C-alpha cells in the first residue's frame, strides 16, 4: 500500500516548495494591481490537503485517496486552487486504485488530473495551468517515459511543464502584454517539483528574488497554545538550519525552518515573537520588512464571529429563497446584509473563500433554495463547486464585482421563489456598468492600455479602460463614459485612501449625473463604482 506517511511527506514537500515560491507566483499578476493571490491560493489549498493527511486514519489506498479528494474539494480557494483541486482529485482517483506506483501509473494519473481539470472549466483557456498539466500528461504518456522509474518519469513531466509555462505568453495576449508567464501554471510545476524533491532529495533551484510581497492571512488554522504566528527570513553565511530549529524549538510549536545555508525562512507559533527574531538576528540579518507577526487569538475571534453569523442564519425565520454573498470591506458587507443577504462571507480578490466556507454558508441559510453572489471572477468557480456539493437547490449568479452584487441583492426578494429571483436579478444586472479605480503596482500594458507604477488605473467590466497620474482625472474619464452611454445614476463605494464623500458627490454632479456615495471599506481599490 502507498502509506499515509509517504503521501503526507510528499504532499508536505510539494506544499513547502509552493510556499517558497508563493511571493514570486503572487507577483505574476496580469493586472498591475497589488492583489495577486495565485500563490497564496495554491498554498492554502495544499495546506488544507496536508492538514487532512495529518488527521487521516486511512487503512487502505482507496480510503486515503478518498480523504485526499474530499480535502481537495473543501479546501480549494480561488480559481487556481479550485483547478488544482480537480487535478488532485483526478490523480488521487487513479493512484487510489494501485498499491504501488511506476512510470505507467504516473502517466495515467497525470492524464486523469488533466482531464478532470479541463472538464471542470466550462470554457478552457490555453496558456493557463490547464495547458501546463495537459502537456505534462502528454510527456508522461510517451512510451520511453512510461518505461522509466517514477522519479525519472516525473522529472521528464516537470521539464515539459517548465517549457509549457515559458510558452504561456505565446498563447495569451494578456500575459504577453504584461510581460509575465501564467501564475497558476508556474505554481503547479513548483508543486510537482517539490514532490520530486521529496522523492529524491535532490536540491531545489534557488527562488528568484521578488521585490514586493502582498500581505496574506496566516495559512495555519490548527489550534495552538501560543498566541503569535511569527514568520521571518534570515540571510547570512553558512546558516545551520538544524541549529536554528533547535534554538527556536523551546519557544513554541508549529515550527518550520526551510531554506539553505544563505537564506532561511522561519515559521513558529510563540508567545515571544521578539525572542524568535533574536534567534535569527544572532546568526544573520533579519529583514524587518519581511517579518510577519499574526495574533492568532484575533484570528480565533474572527472564526467565532463567523460561526455566530452561521448560527444566526440557521436560527432566522425560514424563507423561500436564501441569499449568500462574498465581499471585502465592512461597509460593503453591511450593505449586502441590509439588502437581504442571509450570510455575507468576508473575501474577495486577495482572500478568496474556500469551497468549504461557501458550502457552510449555503448550509446555514434557512432555505431550501439559495442564490450565491460570488462578486469576483476568482470566487465563481469555488462557488459553483460549493453549489454542486450542496444538497440544496443552489444557483450561482456570476456577479463579477461588489457593485454588481449589491445591484443583484437590491433586486432579491427572500419571499419569492428561486427561479423568479434568478430571472429578476439577471434583468437588474443587464444595464449595470461596473468599474473600479486602483493604483498600479508596476509598469504594464493590459488590454492595450499602458500604465506605469503609481498611476491610477480604471477598469470597466473587467477590462483596463483608462489611466492617469491622479484619481480625479481617471474618475472624470469614467464619468464621461457613463454619460456617453446614457447612464444617469452613479453608485460609489469608497475604500482605502478614497476622497471624502462630499468631494466625490460634487464631482459626479458636475458631470450632470446623480450620485450615491457610500462607505465600502474595501482594500486596494479606493473606488468601486456602478452606473445605470
Amino acid at each position: 500500500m502507498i502509506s499515509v506517511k509517504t503521501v503526507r511527506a510528499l504532499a508536505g514537500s510539494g506544499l513547502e516548495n509552493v510556499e517558497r515560491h508563493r511571493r514570486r507566483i503572487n507577483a505574476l499578476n496580469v493586472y498591475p494591481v497589488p492583489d495577486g493571490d495565485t500563490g497564496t491560493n495554491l498554498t492554502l489549498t495544499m495546506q488544507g490537503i496536508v492538514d487532512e493527511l495529518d488527521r487521516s486514519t486511512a487503512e487502505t489506498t482507496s480510503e486515503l485517496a478518498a480523504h485526499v479528494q474530499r480535502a481537495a474539494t473543501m479546501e480549494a480557494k480561488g480559481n487556481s486552487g479550485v483547478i488544482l483541486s480537480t487535478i488532485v482529485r483526478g490523480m488521487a482517483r487513479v493512484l487510489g486504485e494501485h498499491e504501488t506506483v511506476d512510470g505507467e501509473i504516473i502517466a495515467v494519473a497525470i492524464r486523469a488530473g488533466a482531464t478532470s481539470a479541463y472538464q471542470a472549466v466550462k470554457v478552457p483557456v490555453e496558456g493557463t495551468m490547464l495547458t501546463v498539466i495537459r502537456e505534462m500528461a502528454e510527456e508522461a504518456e510517451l512510451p520511453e517515459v512510461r518505461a522509466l522509474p517514477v522519479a525519472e518519469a516525473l522529472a521528464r513531466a516537470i521539464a515539459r511543464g517548465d517549457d509549457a509555462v515559458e510558452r504561456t505568453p505565446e498563447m495569451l495576449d494578456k500575459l504577453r502584454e504584461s510581460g509575465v508567464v501564467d501564475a497558476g501554471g508556474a505554481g503547479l510545476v513548483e508543486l510537482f517539483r517539490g514532490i520530486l524533491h521529496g522523492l529524491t532529495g535532490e536540491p531545489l533551484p534557488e527562488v528568484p528574488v521578488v521585490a514586493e510581497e502582498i500581505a496574506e492571512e496566516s495559512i495555519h488554522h490548527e489550534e495552538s497554545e501560543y498566541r503569535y504566528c511569527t514568520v521571518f527570513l534570515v540571510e547570512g553565511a553558512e546558516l545551520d538550519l538544524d541549529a536554528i530549529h533547535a534554538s527556536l524549538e523551546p519557544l513554541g510549536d508549529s515550527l518550520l525552518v526551510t531554506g539553505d545555508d544563505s537564506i532561511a525562512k522561519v515559521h513558529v507559533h510563540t508567545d515571544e515573537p521578539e525572542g524568535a527574531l533574536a534567534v535569527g538576528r544572532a546568526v544573520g540579518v533579519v529583514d524587518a520588512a519581511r517579518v510577519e507577526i499574526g495574533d492568532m487569538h484575533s484570528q480565533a475571534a474572527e472564526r467565532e464571529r463567523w460561526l455566530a453569523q452561521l448560527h444566526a442564519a440557521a436560527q432566522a425565520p425560514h424563507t423561500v429563497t436564501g441569499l449568500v454573498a462574498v465581499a471585502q470591506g465592512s461597509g460593503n458587507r453591511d450593505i449586502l446584509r441590509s439588502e437581504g443577504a442571509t450570510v455575507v462571507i468576508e473575501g474577495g480578490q486577495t482572500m478568496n473563500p474556500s469551497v468549504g466556507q461557501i458550502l457552510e454558508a449555503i448550509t446555514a441559510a434557512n432555505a431550501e433554495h439559495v442564490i450565491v453572489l460570488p462578486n469576483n471572477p476568482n470566487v465563481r468557480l469555488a462557488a459553483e463547486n460549493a453549489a454542486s456539493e450542496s444538497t440544496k437547490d443552489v444557483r450561482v449568479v456570476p456577479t463579477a464585482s461588489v457593485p454588481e452584487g449589491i445591484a443583484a441583492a437590491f433586486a432579491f426578494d427572500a419571499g419569492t421563489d428561486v427561479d423568479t429571483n434568478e430571472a429578476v436579478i439577471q434583468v437588474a444586472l443587464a444595464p449595470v456598468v461596473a468599474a473600479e479605480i486602483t493604483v498600479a503596482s508596476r509598469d504594464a500594458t493590459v488590454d492595450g492600455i499602458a500604465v506605469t507604477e503609481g498611476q491610477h488605473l480604471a477598469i470597466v467590466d473587467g477590462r483596463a479602460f483608462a489611466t492617469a497620474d491622479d484619481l480625479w482625472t481617471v474618475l472624470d474619464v469614467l464619468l464621461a463614459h457613463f454619460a456617453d452611454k446614457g447612464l444617469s445614476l452613479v453608485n460609489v463605494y469608497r475604500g482605502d485612501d478614497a476622497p471624502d464623500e462630499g468631494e466625490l458627490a460634487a464631482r459626479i454632479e458636475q458631470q450632470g449625473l446623480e450620485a450615491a456615495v457610500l462607505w465600502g471599506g474595501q482594500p486596494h481599490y479606493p473606488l468601486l463604482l456602478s452606473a445605470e
Side-chain angles (χ1 to χ4, degrees), residues 162-342:
D162 279 329
D163 180 64
V165 169
E166 290 303 312
R167 289 185 284 105
T168 54
E170 299 172 14
M171 306 175 212
L172 266 182
D173 290 342
K174 286 186 177 181
L175 295 176
R176 184 170 59 254
E177 291 174 354
S178 301
V180 297
V181 297
D182 179 66
L188 181 67
V189 172
E190 295 308 334
L191 172 61
F192 275 91
R193 201 187 321 276
I195 292 171
L196 179 61
H197 169 71
L199 279 172
T200 66
E202 293 181 3
L204 290 164
E206 292 294 321
V207 180
V209 175
V210 179
E212 298 292 333
E213 178 171 12
I214 298 160
E216 59 159 316
E217 298 295 317
S218 169
I219 64 171
H220 298 277
H221 305 297
E222 61 203 53
E223 292 184 4
S224 171
E225 63 181 283
Y226 299 95
R227 178 163 186 170
Y228 298 102
C229 175
T230 305
V231 182
F232 59 93
L233 289 176
V234 183
E235 295 184 71
E238 300 181 0
L239 295 177
D240 185 335
L241 302 188
D242 291 335
I244 295 172
H245 192 285
S247 298
L248 289 166
E249 204 162 16
L251 298 181
D253 61 16
S254 295
L255 176 60
L256 183 65
V257 181
T258 61
D260 53 36
D261 61 0
S262 63
I263 186 168
K265 181 161 188 176
V266 173
H267 170 279
V268 62
H269 292 173
T270 180
D271 287 332
E272 305 173 54
E274 284 302 322
L277 294 172
V279 171
R281 294 184 183 116
V283 297
V285 176
V286 175
D287 185 349
R290 297 183 181 179
V291 173
E292 300 175 28
I293 301 176
D295 186 338
M296 293 187 295
H297 288 191
S298 173
Q299 294 166 11
E302 289 178 9
R303 177 64 179 171
E304 288 176 7
R305 286 193 293 272
W306 167 246
L307 293 175
Q309 185 183 182
L310 296 181
H311 178 74
Q315 297 300 314
H318 182 272
T319 58
V320 177
T321 306
L323 181 66
V324 170
V326 180
Q328 279 185 301
S330 59
N332 292 325
R333 291 192 294 276
D334 287 344
I335 294 168
L336 285 162
R337 289 190 191 97
S338 71
E339 296 296 348
T342 313

Side-chain angles (χ1 to χ4, degrees), residues 361-370 387 389-395:
I362 293 169
T363 303
N366 193 5
E368 292 308 309
H369 308 273
V370 179
E389 290 289 322
S390 177
T391 57
K392 296 183 177 182
D393 175 14
V394 182
R395 315 288 177 87

Side-chain angles (χ1 to χ4, degrees), residues 423-467:
V424 168
I425 287 173
Q426 295 289 4
V427 170
L429 289 175
V432 174
V433 176
E436 52 204 22
I437 295 177
T438 187
V439 178
S441 58
R442 59 179 169 81
D443 298 350
T445 299
V446 185
D447 300 325
I449 303 292
V451 60
T452 58
E453 182 179 351
Q455 283 191 314
H456 285 78
L457 172 67
I459 300 170
V460 176
D461 288 336
R463 294 182 61 83
F465 183 76
T467 184

